[in-house]
Amino acid sequence: EEVDAALVALEAAFAALEEKPEPTPEPEKTYIPVKGVTAGDEELVNSPQNEEGPAELAIDGNEYTIWHTDWYEGPSYDEHWIQLAFDSAYMVGGFEYLPRQTGNTNGMITSYKILVSEDGENWTEAAAGNWDSSDRSWQTVEFDAVKAKYVRLKSEGGESDIGIALTCAAEIRAIGAVVACEDHTTEL
């Protein structure tokens, strides 16, 4: 009798498992294609073997090259930004930053703002926060989606062992979705 009761309970448990729907998978991230990149400041003179300096290095797909602000002049944090431009407007709902992957922590962003713009002139803060300079993995920031053609990562503070403000990024990318525009729809 106990065996029969156990079998009935076991059959009921299997039936309950079969009835449970599969969990809904998280949607995959959609990265917005970049038309161009600019920066408030770049190290253009002292770059070793083209591995550090120009803004383009933050979107080259190589995690071992970096955009870096000027090492010697040390501009104020007002100029410590890098911005992505898209071919048209997207609904931007996130941003990812990969800190430098090799060497010291100089320039790794510890305090940031994410700014968005439709025209490249008028900016709105979409997010702000802090990152841990001991974590060299991708840093993801999610925020309420906003229509934008430009996204700017602005450093508010970072690591420096030489006493001047420094900022760098190995890679950056924006997360978003298609926006229907007046004349067309941008496809991913």
Side-chain angles (χ1 to χ4, degrees), residues 19 90 92 150 167:
E19 292 174 12
Y90 284 80
V92 181
Y150 304 90
T167 299

Side-chain angles (χ1 to χ4, degrees), residues 62-92:
N62 181 348
E63 66 185 40
Y64 297 106
T65 61
I66 60 173
W67 158 69
H68 204 300
T69 54
D70 190 317
W71 302 340
Y72 298 103
E73 297 298 318
S76 72
Y77 278 111
D78 291 340
E79 297 177 40
H80 285 227
W81 55 263
I82 187 167
Q83 106 188 6
L84 300 174
F86 314 126
D87 60 352
S88 61
Y90 284 80
M91 290 304 291
V92 181

Side-chain angles (χ1 to χ4, degrees), residues 26 51 71 79 148 172:
E26 279 191 42
E51 293 175 359
W71 302 340
E79 297 177 40
I172 58 171

